Amino acid sequence: MSANGYRAVIKGQIQGLGFRPHVYRLAKALGVRGFIRNSSSGVIISAQGKNARRFLDQLRQAPPPLAVITSFRITSVRARSCKGFSIKPSRAGIGAGVDVLPDLATCRDCRREIEDPRNRRYGYAFTNCTQCGPRYTIIEHLPYDRPNTTMTGFLMCPQCRSEYMDPTDRRHHAQPIACPVCGPKLAVAPANARLSPIEAAAEALLRGKIVAIKSLGGYQLACDATNSRAVERLRRRKHRPSKPFALMCESAAVTRKFCLVSPAARAALLSAAAPIVLLPKSLRPAIPVAESVAPRNSRLGVMLTYTPLHVVLFARLRRLTGKAAVLVMTSANRKDDPIIAEARRLSEELPGVPDLVLTHDRPIANRCDDSVVLAGTAGPLLMVRRARGSAPQPVPLGRMFHVKHQVLAVGGEFKNAFALASGGRAFLSPHIGTVATAIGESFWREAFARYAEWTGIEPEAIVADVHPDYASTRLAEHLSRDLGLPLIRVQHHYAHILSVMAEHDLSGPALGLAFDGTGYGADGSIWGGEFLLVRDVANWQRVGHLGYLNLANAGDELADPARVARAYLEQARALGMPSAKRPAAAGQALLQTSSVGRLFDAVAAITGACRAATFDGEAPSALESLADPSENGHWFSDDLLDLSASPALLLPEPILLNVARETAAGVDPAAAAARFHNTLSKASVRLADVLCDRHSVTTVCLSGGSFQNSLLRSQVVAGLRSHGRRVHWNQAVPLNDGGIAYGQVAAAACAERPAPDS
Ligand SMILES: [Zn+2]
Ligand SMILES: [Zn+2]
């Protein structure tokens, strides 16, 4: 056998970002003969000649910038006679190994072409290249080649074809390649004979109209964000009284005119993922964004123009007014339903909402919302909603959490996302929302079918929440029966803490603080203020919690803050009576809760931050926004803790009584809101400290939606660190229930581990 022939099989995120042209150029430069081919089990390279091995080593050490190689196998083969190096057409095969790429925001080179009047793609709304453009949202099957995408209906013109075929062109094998001659075209409804679709949309927006825009993963609803009447009209038509709207503008420089943009936030805005970044509102904005965009909220969610369609629309607006536009850009959907991706559904589900529809003829293969990340003034960003730009990229699992058997984790009930896992990787779905409705469940099943096909993962077990009434649990029960697979049930807050441990590869022991709105507890009540001891990853115990509140319908996702406040105050006053007893857990399923979210609701109602909520998380975020960060006062004393109880208790009633007393005495609500945060943080840190000492633990994990509150999180982190604890929290997956499926995968990995000797 001749030594200078090699075959390499490469897996990972390598299709659709100029990998093959990169390999081609390298082979040419080194005089290597052979070929490269995409297959559904990876990229295959045949290399011959005296530099063949050097060529492969160089490729492994310095792959193209966006590539992520997860496996690179080289075998020696007999050298065959062949001339030159070629890129061969793809061959369909069995098995999977190639990751589907997320959609990538329009790159600088393409932006330059779109804005250059001499370029043939000037003003063209579907310009893309190997470094940018749609991926996930157009792919139907693997391998990633044009006939397997929704571009299959567009026949390339000779000029596009020659770019596509030319290995030296930056559009070589760019599957969605298109131009004004051969590619997708824009249209508006109602039709406009006088204006182009972009002109018609821009003009409507400037007149305060609402325009539906077909984006990458579905339709968006847009209006002028500086026109409060337009914003309020959109709120009325969408039946969305107060939930914040996301904004879009052209650049980080424009964003800085109405928000504070940290270096990390700027990098996120400009990244290929281009998520919505939650940014602190500027105190003296140069662009007057309407208050109604995000009422009672100290932040605005902003993303930059991430498709060429957005780029040309904003360029048109700038030409018409002479200034940079800021538009509301919110997903087109009915409350709690998935994003709409078809024109027919838009008119059926949102009749009369848009005044104008700006659409096009490139079908959407996979629906996908915009991702959301949270940026503070410093520190790493937090994932709030993981979707466009991130999905379907897998999230690695720490070494302790690699699964031996492939699993499907169905996720939680709210902010649902599922995960398919194999070995050290969890393929977390994009944000699904709810599966409690037929339309939500069908979205779940659609996304699941695609993920199963692409990843080749055939689950051997299904993981679900322990909640008996979760629609996601019922879905898991059906799937487990239909497929004859075992069902593993995992407690909600344990899944939250494991999601942190799996992300940071922590083997335990660790103390987990899981603070959120609702989750079904092991004792049948609704948990949400939990201190969990995870001895090793497979053994956990509830060692502390927020004292119970008696509350009917404690499991509802959206509670009425005023009602929660009344229940709390009633209980607090009754406890002052000599014969009163603290509520205990036994036999009162769904009628009591240890939820930190509910505690925030109550305080928001008492301080006036928010008395009636229309969406989950509204009251807590209004309270955080109200709090004066310069206020250092608090009501903490050791009386807030009952350390002799088992589990130990953090007592909420004295905190509530302090809030009520100060509010009645006319203390500034911003100061009262801050003192509440300070008190809860100090009490949590103190209880965590005691429990860490008691159980000889130094690592603390924070998870659950309540820790999206930056004030609470930063105070708890700082407090624990000052006492020498190592503190971790979620970054790649959401802290909220969007990360539950990932934690469920970790739990399945733990369930495979033999129980340690007791
Ligand atoms: Zn590009
Ligand atoms: Zn063309």
Side-chain angles (χ1 to χ4, degrees):
M1 188 187 283
S2 161
N4 59 0
Y6 296 97
R7 181 186 148 90
V9 181
I10 310 168
K11 297 185 181 193
Q13 180 185 299
I14 40 180
Q15 286 188 5
L17 30 73
F19 191 77
R20 286 177 293 176
H22 175 90
V23 169
Y24 177 89
R25 283 190 293 268
L26 188 61
K28 285 284 182 198
L30 293 174
V32 169
R33 301 183 312 277
F35 64 83
I36 177 169
R37 188 173 68 210
N38 271 354
S39 83
S40 56
S41 54
V43 165
I44 293 164
I45 296 176
S46 165
Q48 288 157 40
K50 67 176 188 339
N51 284 334
R53 182 69 204 207
R54 201 181 120 204
F55 156 71
L56 291 173
D57 289 341
Q58 214 165 308
L59 177 64
R60 174 152 54 181
Q61 279 150 24
L66 294 171
V68 180
I69 291 174
T70 55
S71 146
F72 199 123
R73 250 187 25 247
I74 302 175
T75 44
S76 285
V77 293
R78 190 195 308 269
R80 281 201 234 135
S81 70
C82 65
K83 281 198 199 108
F85 194 90
S86 62
I87 299 179
K88 288 203 173 181
S90 301
R91 195 187 282 171
I94 299 160
V98 177
D99 297 349
V100 173
L101 277 179
D103 299 303
L104 305 165
T106 304
C107 74
R108 271 191 204 184
D109 290 339
C110 286
R111 239 171 244 269
R112 214 172 288 134
E113 289 186 12
I114 298 165
E115 287 168 0
D116 175 6
R118 289 157 306 172
N119 192 284
R120 73 188 192 96
R121 290 189 174 86
Y122 174 59
Y124 184 53
F126 303 92
T127 304
N128 65 79
C129 72
T130 52
Q131 302 301 302
C132 77
R135 300 288 187 273
Y136 173 69
T137 53
I138 59 165
I139 300 176
E140 288 172 326
H141 306 287
L142 287 180
Y144 174 54
D145 278 323
R146 190 161 169 117
N148 288 333
T149 71
T150 58
M151 284 300 293
T152 186
F154 299 92
L155 192 66
M156 279 182 232
C157 70
Q159 244 179 311
C160 283
R161 172 154 299 278
S162 83
E163 290 169 354
Y164 181 87
M165 299 304 287
D166 177 1
T168 63
D169 194 279
R170 65 185 197 87
R171 294 198 169 88
H172 179 65
H173 283 201
Q175 306 304 338
I177 189 173
C179 77
V181 175
C182 65
K185 290 188 174 40
L186 290 172
V188 276
N192 189 319
R194 193 172 48 90
L195 300 171
S196 75
I198 288 289
E199 289 167 343
E203 190 174 84
L205 287 164
L206 292 179
R207 281 188 290 124
K209 303 288 183 191
I210 293 158
V211 177
I213 299 172
K214 187 173 180 182
S215 182
L216 283 179
Y219 280 89
Q220 294 166 323
L221 294 170
C223 72
D224 179 356
T226 61
N227 180 338
S228 55
R229 294 170 84 180
V231 176
E232 275 146 30
R233 190 175 310 127
L234 178 57
R235 289 210 172 281
R236 273 196 309 277
R237 290 190 190 170
K238 221 189 159 202
H239 305 293
R240 181 160 152 164
S242 52
K243 193 172 180 183
F245 284 137
L247 300 176
M248 182 180 270
C249 66
E250 279 179 301
S251 66
V254 175
T255 310
R256 201 165 269 132
K257 294 187 174 175
F258 54 95
C259 282
L260 304 176
V261 184
S262 69
R266 182 174 182 278
L269 284 169
L270 292 168
S271 68
I276 295 169
V277 185
L278 298 173
L279 300 164
K281 285 177 183 168
S282 169
L283 294 177
R284 274 178 225 85
I287 296 179
V289 168
E291 176 60 25
S292 50
V293 166
R296 291 184 298 197
N297 200 308
S298 57
R299 292 193 182 84
L300 287 169
V302 187
M303 60 187 146
L304 302 188
T305 47
Y306 60 80
T307 72
L309 171 53
H310 295 120
V311 172
V312 295
L313 177 63
F314 276 74
R316 181 75 207 165
L317 289 165
R318 189 167 9 96
R319 275 199 295 277
L320 286 172
T321 64
K323 35 180 208 198
V326 181
L327 298 181
V328 164
M329 198 62 74
T330 184
S331 300
N333 61 333
R334 277 191 309 214
K335 191 174 187 298
D336 297 333
D337 276 352
I339 187 167
I340 296 170
E342 293 159 39
R344 182 180 57 81
R345 291 225 139 147
L346 188 66
S347 50
E348 279 172 15
E349 293 174 27
L350 296 175
V353 175
D355 297 298
L356 188 82
V357 181
L358 176 60
T359 187
H360 58 76
D361 53 357
R362 187 181 68 205
I364 293 171
N366 302 294
R367 281 178 281 178
C368 196
D369 262 299
D370 293 314
S371 290
V372 182
V373 301
L374 174 64
T377 42
L381 305 188
L382 297 184
M383 186 66 80
V384 174
R385 183 166 78 190
R386 194 176 178 279
R388 176 185 53 77
S390 291
Q393 272 176 310
V395 185
L397 293 157
R399 272 165 309 136
M400 299 291 299
F401 299 89
H402 287 200
V403 289
K404 283 196 210 74
H405 303 285
Q406 302 188 327
V407 298
L408 161 65
V410 298
E413 185 74 341
F414 311 110
K415 302 183 174 65
N416 179 277
F418 64 80
L420 273 168
S422 170
R425 307 201 298 166
F427 291 83
L428 190 60
S429 77
H431 168 79
I432 303 275
T434 178
V435 291
T437 58
I439 198 168
E441 186 180 328
S442 80
F443 181 26
W444 192 101
R445 286 180 182 274
E446 254 170 56
F448 173 66
R450 282 276 152 78
Y451 266 58
E453 181 192 327
W454 294 341
T455 61
I457 291 175
E458 294 176 8
E460 294 172 59
I462 297 178
V463 198
D465 198 273
V466 292
H467 199 304
D469 298 327
Y470 269 9
S472 61
T473 305
R474 281 200 298 275
L475 184 66
E477 286 165 353
H478 287 152
L479 287 171
S480 122
R481 246 194 328 268
D482 295 350
L483 304 172
L485 298 175
L487 182 61
I488 303 168
R489 292 173 197 269
V490 179
Q491 202 278 326
H492 186 92
H493 300 96
Y494 174 50
H496 267 312
I497 298 308
L498 282 187
S499 75
V500 183
M501 297 179 73
E503 222 188 276
H504 298 282
D505 198 15
L506 307 170
S507 57
L511 182 74
L513 273 58
F515 288 5
D516 65 3
T518 65
Y520 194 79
D523 61 0
S525 35
I526 298 300
W527 291 8
E530 309 309 311
F531 295 72
L532 306 181
L533 174 65
V534 183
R535 274 190 201 288
D536 59 74
V537 289
N539 284 281
W540 67 281
Q541 183 192 347
R542 188 191 203 197
V543 290
H545 65 87
L546 185 70
Y548 279 126
L549 165 70
N550 286 317
L551 182 73
N553 304 325
D556 289 356
E557 187 200 22
L558 177 59
D560 170 9
R563 187 173 71 86
V564 180
R566 278 196 303 278
Y568 251 126
L569 290 173
E570 231 166 74
Q571 179 168 309
R573 285 172 189 137
L575 278 176
M577 309 291 167
S579 63
K581 266 173 65 189
R582 173 159 298 286
Q588 297 189 38
L590 304 182
L591 291 173
Q592 57 183 199
T593 181
S594 52
S595 161
V596 167
R598 293 297 88 82
L599 181 61
F600 269 88
D601 285 342
V603 176
I606 296 169
T607 54
C610 177
R611 292 201 172 86
T614 61
F615 65 92
D616 158 50
E618 179 172 13
S621 96
L623 188 66
E624 181 192 359
S625 296
L626 174 66
D628 172 4
S630 65
E631 166 63 45
N632 294 319
H634 64 85
W635 314 299
F636 175 70
S637 76
D638 277 337
D639 292 347
L640 289 186
L641 305 178
D642 182 349
L643 299 173
S644 59
S646 181
L649 294 176
L650 196 168
L651 306 176
E653 296 90 353
I655 305 178
L656 254 297
L657 290 174
N658 275 309
V659 176
R661 184 176 46 76
E662 294 214 341
T663 306
V667 170
D668 174 15
R675 285 177 207 163
F676 163 72
H677 278 83
N678 301 344
T679 306
L680 180 62
S681 301
K682 283 184 191 298
S684 303
V685 169
R686 175 87 180 115
L687 181 52
D689 259 334
V690 170
L691 294 169
C692 280
D693 287 343
R694 204 179 264 180
H695 301 285
S696 313
V697 175
T698 54
T699 300
V700 181
C701 299
L702 312 180
S703 192
S706 299
F707 281 115
Q708 279 171 202
N709 180 318
S710 296
L711 199 52
L712 177 70
R713 187 183 65 255
S714 62
Q715 289 177 347
V716 170
V717 169
L720 289 166
R721 281 189 178 153
S722 74
H723 298 173
R725 315 290 175 196
R726 280 200 305 267
V727 192
H728 301 272
W729 60 96
N730 300 107
Q731 259 132 43
V733 305
L735 280 162
N736 60 45
D737 287 4
I740 284 289
Y742 181 75
Q744 289 174 342
V745 167
C750 300
E752 289 177 338
R753 224 175 294 280
D757 300 335
S758 47

